[in-house]
Amino acid sequence: MLKERGKVFCATILSGSAAGEKCIYTQDEMHGKPLWKEILPELRRVEQTEVVSIGKREIFVELFQEAPRLVILGAGHVSQPVCQIGKILGFDITVVDDREEFVTRDRFPWADRLLCCDFDCLPEEMFGYENTFYVAVTRGHQGDRACARRVLSHPHAYFGMIGSRTKVKITKDALLEEGFSAEKVESMHSPIGLPLGGQLPEEIAVSIMAEIVKEKNRRYTGFADMDVANAVLGGEHGVMLTILSKSGSSPRGTGSKMFLGEGGTSYGSIGGGSIEFTACREAGHVSGVQVKEYDLSAKDASDLGMICGGHVRILFERI
């Protein structure tokens, strides 16, 4: 799902008779037992990796994301530096325009793919990858409206539209008249970009990509070494340790994982030092799913290899 969609959530129940039950979901797909259906609407309001309470259940939600995609709708002067900066930042880039002479390899050597088509006819395969950032920089409000109509009808990470406030208002009013909700229309970033005061195409491109980077990093995602995933995918059994929450100082954040194989091999890290040593020692006694808490006074923090005091919760799961 992650390779196909680019953005997937996993939810784990932490306590009660259903402790350890999981589901994975996107904005329009879910895999899990029927008990998840009643709380799925609330789960979909969670935007990042964190522990949430829904009803009487405490649930750990994890956000996983693949490499982001950037779709530039319009191939004018601003699009060229947007494409170049986007490639420097590691985006997979598609450039679209309805003028064949504009979408050329000479103009966009940094693009991964070029597409010439009417903005009203953007192909369906362009959508569905949720970790996609769309930038509408067409030559007129008709093109902007066509792009907005298509993008807002699908899950996406970001949609920004260039133009004056008058042009933006005309487009927004038209979309509202067509039946799009006010929430969806207002989710558009328009006028696009952070207000840096730039006038040149390159300066405008910097403001656009700065806003995209800010938006991309707004949601907290956990960290897991690829060795952890490879061990589990390889069929190895053992205990997974995941940081649920922390306060104070810790080398690793919420969502960080460590996997202890039954043969004694460890993969990844939850921070190292004595706290990791203690957690690994306790992992041998885990039979199913458990949550353990570590309250750190200033002295405890020093003893456990932390910089300062705080509170750490760790989820133990036998796999």
Coordinates of all heavy atoms in Angstrom, one line a residue, residues 223 225 241-243 246 249-258 267-280 304-307 312 314:
F223 N 10.5 7.2 13.1 CA 11.7 6.7 12.4 C 12.0 5.3 12.7 O 12.0 4.9 13.9 CB 12.9 7.6 12.8 CG 14.2 7.1 12.2 CD1 14.6 7.3 10.9 CD2 15.1 6.3 13.0 CE1 15.8 6.9 10.4 CE2 16.3 5.8 12.5 CZ 16.6 6.1 11.2
D225 N 14.9 2.1 11.4 CA 15.9 1.7 10.5 C 15.3 0.7 9.5 O 14.5 -0.2 9.9 CB 17.1 1.1 11.2 CG 17.7 2.1 12.2 OD1 17.9 3.2 11.7 OD2 18.1 1.7 13.3
L241 N 10.1 -3.1 19.9 CA 10.0 -2.0 20.8 C 9.8 -0.7 20.1 O 10.5 -0.4 19.1 CB 11.3 -1.9 21.7 CG 11.5 -2.9 22.8 CD1 11.8 -4.4 22.2 CD2 12.8 -2.5 23.6
T242 N 8.7 0.0 20.5 CA 8.4 1.3 19.8 C 8.2 2.4 20.8 O 7.5 2.2 21.8 CB 7.1 1.1 18.9 OG1 7.3 0.0 18.0 CG2 6.9 2.4 18.1
I243 N 8.8 3.5 20.6 CA 8.6 4.6 21.5 C 7.2 5.2 21.2 O 7.0 5.7 20.1 CB 9.7 5.7 21.4 CG1 11.1 5.1 21.8 CG2 9.4 6.9 22.2 CD1 12.2 6.1 21.7
K246 N 7.3 10.6 24.5 CA 8.5 11.0 25.4 C 8.4 12.5 25.7 O 7.8 13.3 25.0 CB 9.8 10.8 24.6 CG 10.1 11.7 23.5 CD 11.5 11.6 23.0 CE 11.8 12.7 22.0 NZ 12.6 13.8 22.5
S249 N 14.5 15.0 27.2 CA 15.5 14.7 26.2 C 15.7 13.2 25.9 O 15.8 12.4 26.8 CB 16.9 15.3 26.6 OG 17.8 15.1 25.6
S250 N 15.7 12.9 24.7 CA 15.9 11.5 24.3 C 16.5 11.5 22.9 O 16.0 12.2 22.0 CB 14.6 10.7 24.3 OG 14.8 9.4 23.8
P251 N 17.4 10.6 22.6 CA 18.1 10.6 21.3 C 17.1 10.2 20.2 O 17.3 10.6 19.0 CB 19.2 9.5 21.4 CG 19.4 9.4 22.9 CD 18.1 9.7 23.5
R252 N 16.1 9.4 20.4 CA 15.1 9.0 19.4 C 13.7 9.5 19.8 O 13.4 9.5 21.0 CB 15.1 7.5 19.3 CG 16.4 6.9 18.7 CD 16.6 7.3 17.2 NE 17.8 6.8 16.7 CZ 18.0 5.7 15.9 NH1 16.9 5.0 15.7 NH2 19.1 5.4 15.5
G253 N 12.9 9.8 18.8 CA 11.6 10.3 19.0 C 10.5 9.3 18.9 O 10.7 8.1 18.7
T254 N 9.2 9.8 19.1 CA 8.0 9.0 19.0 C 8.0 8.2 17.7 O 8.3 8.8 16.6 CB 6.8 9.8 19.1 OG1 6.8 10.5 20.4 CG2 5.5 9.0 19.0
G255 N 7.7 6.9 17.8 CA 7.7 6.1 16.6 C 8.9 5.3 16.3 O 9.0 4.4 15.4
S256 N 10.0 5.7 16.9 CA 11.3 5.0 16.7 C 11.2 3.5 17.1 O 10.6 3.2 18.2 CB 12.4 5.7 17.5 OG 12.6 7.0 17.0
K257 N 11.8 2.6 16.4 CA 11.6 1.2 16.6 C 12.9 0.5 16.8 O 13.9 0.9 16.2 CB 10.8 0.6 15.4 CG 9.4 1.1 15.3 CD 8.7 0.4 14.1 CE 7.3 0.9 14.0 NZ 6.4 0.5 15.1
M258 N 12.8 -0.6 17.5 CA 13.9 -1.6 17.7 C 13.4 -3.0 17.7 O 12.3 -3.2 18.3 CB 14.7 -1.3 19.0 CG 15.9 -2.2 19.2 SD 16.7 -1.8 20.8 CE 18.2 -2.8 20.7
Y267 N 18.0 -5.1 15.9 CA 18.0 -4.2 14.7 C 17.4 -2.9 15.2 O 16.4 -2.8 15.9 CB 17.1 -4.8 13.6 CG 17.5 -6.3 13.3 CD1 16.9 -7.3 14.0 CD2 18.4 -6.6 12.3 CE1 17.2 -8.6 13.7 CE2 18.7 -7.9 12.0 CZ 18.1 -8.9 12.7 OH 18.4 -10.2 12.4
G268 N 18.0 -1.8 14.7 CA 17.5 -0.5 15.0 C 17.9 -0.1 16.4 O 18.7 -0.7 17.1
S269 N 17.3 1.0 16.9 CA 17.6 1.5 18.2 C 16.4 2.4 18.7 O 15.7 3.0 18.0 CB 18.9 2.4 18.2 OG 19.1 3.0 19.4
I270 N 16.2 2.4 20.1 CA 15.3 3.3 20.7 C 16.0 4.4 21.5 O 15.5 5.0 22.4 CB 14.2 2.6 21.5 CG1 14.9 1.7 22.6 CG2 13.3 1.8 20.6 CD1 14.0 1.1 23.6
G271 N 17.3 4.5 21.3 CA 18.0 5.6 21.9 C 19.4 5.2 22.5 O 20.2 6.1 22.9
G272 N 19.6 3.9 22.7 CA 20.9 3.5 23.2 C 21.0 3.7 24.7 O 20.0 4.1 25.4
G273 N 22.2 3.5 25.3 CA 22.4 3.8 26.7 C 21.7 2.8 27.6 O 21.2 1.7 27.2
S274 N 21.6 3.1 28.9 CA 21.0 2.2 29.9 C 19.5 2.0 29.7 O 19.0 0.9 30.0 CB 21.3 2.7 31.3 OG 22.7 2.7 31.5
I275 N 18.8 3.0 29.2 CA 17.4 2.9 29.0 C 17.1 1.8 28.0 O 16.2 1.0 28.1 CB 16.7 4.2 28.6 CG1 15.2 4.1 28.7 CG2 17.1 4.7 27.2 CD1 14.4 5.4 28.5
E276 N 17.9 1.7 26.9 CA 17.7 0.7 25.9 C 18.1 -0.7 26.5 O 17.4 -1.7 26.2 CB 18.5 1.0 24.7 CG 18.3 0.0 23.5 CD 19.0 0.5 22.2 OE1 18.5 1.4 21.6 OE2 20.1 -0.1 21.9
F277 N 19.2 -0.7 27.2 CA 19.6 -1.9 27.9 C 18.5 -2.5 28.8 O 18.2 -3.7 28.7 CB 20.9 -1.7 28.7 CG 21.3 -2.9 29.5 CD1 22.0 -3.9 28.9 CD2 21.1 -3.0 30.8 CE1 22.4 -5.0 29.6 CE2 21.5 -4.1 31.6 CZ 22.1 -5.1 30.9
T278 N 17.9 -1.6 29.6 CA 16.8 -2.0 30.5 C 15.6 -2.6 29.7 O 15.0 -3.6 30.1 CB 16.4 -0.9 31.4 OG1 17.6 -0.4 32.1 CG2 15.3 -1.3 32.4
A279 N 15.2 -1.8 28.7 CA 14.1 -2.2 27.9 C 14.3 -3.6 27.2 O 13.4 -4.4 27.2 CB 13.7 -1.2 26.9
C280 N 15.5 -3.8 26.7 CA 15.8 -5.0 26.0 C 15.8 -6.2 27.0 O 15.3 -7.3 26.7 CB 17.2 -4.9 25.4 SG 17.2 -3.8 23.9
L304 N 20.5 6.5 33.3 CA 20.0 5.8 32.1 C 20.5 6.3 30.8 O 20.0 6.0 29.7 CB 18.4 5.8 32.1 CG 17.8 5.0 33.2 CD1 16.3 5.2 33.2 CD2 18.1 3.5 33.1
G305 N 21.5 7.2 30.8 CA 22.1 7.7 29.6 C 21.3 8.8 29.0 O 21.5 9.0 27.8
M306 N 20.4 9.4 29.7 CA 19.6 10.6 29.1 C 20.3 11.9 29.5 O 21.0 11.9 30.5 CB 18.2 10.6 29.7 CG 17.5 9.2 29.5 SD 17.1 8.8 27.8 CE 15.6 9.9 27.6
I307 N 20.0 12.9 28.7 CA 20.6 14.2 29.0 C 19.9 14.9 30.2 O 20.5 15.6 31.0 CB 20.6 15.1 27.8 CG1 21.4 14.4 26.7 CG2 21.1 16.5 28.0 CD1 21.3 15.1 25.3
V312 N 9.1 8.5 29.4 CA 9.2 7.7 28.1 C 8.2 6.5 28.2 O 8.2 5.8 29.3 CB 10.6 7.2 27.8 CG1 10.6 6.3 26.5 CG2 11.6 8.3 27.7
I314 N 7.1 3.0 26.2 CA 7.5 2.1 25.1 C 6.5 0.9 25.0 O 6.1 0.3 25.9 CB 8.9 1.5 25.5 CG1 10.0 2.6 25.5 CG2 9.3 0.4 24.4 CD1 11.4 2.1 25.9

